[in-house]
Amino acid sequence: MTLLAEVMALTAVLGLYLPGPIPPGEPPPSKIEPWSGSAEARSSIAPVFVQSSPVRVPAGGSAEAIATCPAGTSVFGGGESNPVSGSVVLTRSVPWRDTWETTVRNNGTSDAYATGYAVCGSGLTAYQQVYGSAVSVTPDGGPATASATCPAGMRILGGGQWISGPLNVSLDASLPLSDSGGDDWFIRVRNHNAETIGIQPIAICGSGLTTQIVSGAGAVLAPGEYKPATATCPAGTTLLGGGGGGVWYEVHQGVTITDSYRSAQDSWTIYARSHPANTGRRGITSYAICRGADLTEL
């Protein structure tokens, strides 16, 4: 990790968006099937999935959820889920040493909860966190895109985005790509603040394994509608991570990702809300990063 990347990530850890104390009582149920807060490995070739405790997100504010990988593993990616139907939105989602940290913003009028997740593993022949070039996003609500590319011979394992400045943004896409030019992590963000912000994509890359990116069936959202989309790894492969977002050519007011997480053993789900000002329906797609079946244990 570069010095700049470490400083930026440290800002996220020590900044102004820390969660407040969780009040007494049980938090609302999550969308996800629960698994152990400690390391969980479902089989000899499975990655390890960990989750944070639910964090309180105050109405009109932001909070950060941190999931920590077990000793001896590296963070491959991560995400977040919350039980609110569209008003709690995903903003930052970044690696920091052996943790994955997600920040959410609560645009609603009531406090809410969010849970962070990390995907962890070991045994790769090479591992690298790649930070793409930072991009400025002007305060006009228009979309800006950026991508981070894995070095030659390395495969995408996961990814996320750093956002500098106020977090009144719409994360329209945060997803893996793979083509003849290599593996990338792509992001698209809209800025609803009165000032310019910065965005920076992050790709988690590794070698010593084969992977494939699988897209789900997708979903279509009417203006203001809130829906999930899920991608599932083929039989004989293992989920490593995933992402998703709005369909690329639909650029009006787009969609806002609210959740991105492992929803089942081999499935990755996103939830998104279509902007109420959209003039028509908008599509969303989820992507799963799947590890081949012919590999030794991570």
Side-chain angles (χ1 to χ4, degrees):
M1 180 184 289
T2 65
L3 177 59
L4 175 60
E6 291 205 1
V7 171
M8 292 169 62
L10 182 60
T11 303
V13 176
L14 300 178
L16 300 177
Y17 305 106
L18 298 175
I22 299 174
E26 292 295 322
S30 171
K31 299 185 183 80
I32 196 169
E33 296 178 0
W35 66 81
S36 171
S38 59
E40 177 204 41
R42 293 187 180 273
S43 72
S44 61
I45 64 169
V48 175
F49 296 90
V50 297
Q51 70 182 54
S52 73
S53 298
V55 297
R56 183 177 63 85
V57 193
S62 298
E64 185 177 84
I66 301 173
T68 301
C69 289
T73 65
S74 298
V75 64
F76 286 3
E80 164 273 334
S81 71
N82 66 81
V84 182
S85 298
S87 60
V88 175
V89 301
L90 179 61
T91 58
R92 298 183 184 125
S93 187
V94 297
W96 172 242
R97 300 191 186 278
D98 62 348
T99 69
W100 195 268
E101 304 173 9
T102 52
T103 304
V104 295
R105 175 183 169 90
N106 184 356
N107 295 320
T109 56
S110 300
D111 290 0
Y113 289 85
T115 301
Y117 305 96
V119 185
C120 316
S122 61
L124 300 173
T125 58
Y127 171 87
Q128 187 172 346
Q129 297 178 5
V130 178
Y131 283 68
S133 298
V135 173
S136 295
V137 189
T138 56
D140 57 7
T145 63
S147 60
T149 301
C150 290
M154 300 185 79
R155 306 308 305 269
I156 191 80
L157 306 175
Q161 64 284 333
W162 171 263
I163 298 172
S164 62
L167 295 180
N168 185 17
V169 300
S170 294
L171 178 64
D172 187 87
S174 183
L175 53 87
L177 298 173
S178 183
D179 56 30
S180 59
D183 283 9
D184 305 87
W185 194 267
F186 171 87
I187 64 172
R188 184 171 57 223
V189 178
R190 289 173 168 80
N191 179 11
H192 305 299
N193 297 287
E195 61 188 82
T196 296
I197 63 169
I199 63 173
Q200 188 172 27
I202 307 159
I204 311 298
C205 311
S207 58
L209 76 172
T210 59
T211 62
Q212 66 181 112
I213 298 172
V214 176
S215 61
V220 177
L221 284 65
E225 193 173 15
Y226 166 76
K227 280 185 179 180
T230 297
T232 300
C233 290
T237 65
T238 303
L239 180 73
L240 289 177
V247 175
W248 294 40
Y249 57 82
E250 299 174 333
V251 297
H252 179 45
Q253 290 295 330
V255 302
T256 300
I257 298 173
T258 63
D259 312 64
S260 183
Y261 64 101
R262 186 195 75 156
S263 55
Q265 181 171 344
D266 290 315
S267 297
W268 194 270
T269 292
I270 66 167
Y271 275 77
R273 180 175 179 266
S274 175
H275 196 286
N278 282 326
T279 56
R281 295 176 178 270
R282 293 291 180 266
I284 59 171
T285 303
S286 182
Y287 298 85
I289 304 172
C290 309
R291 177 173 181 252
D294 59 340
L295 302 168
T296 57
E297 184 177 356
L298 284 174

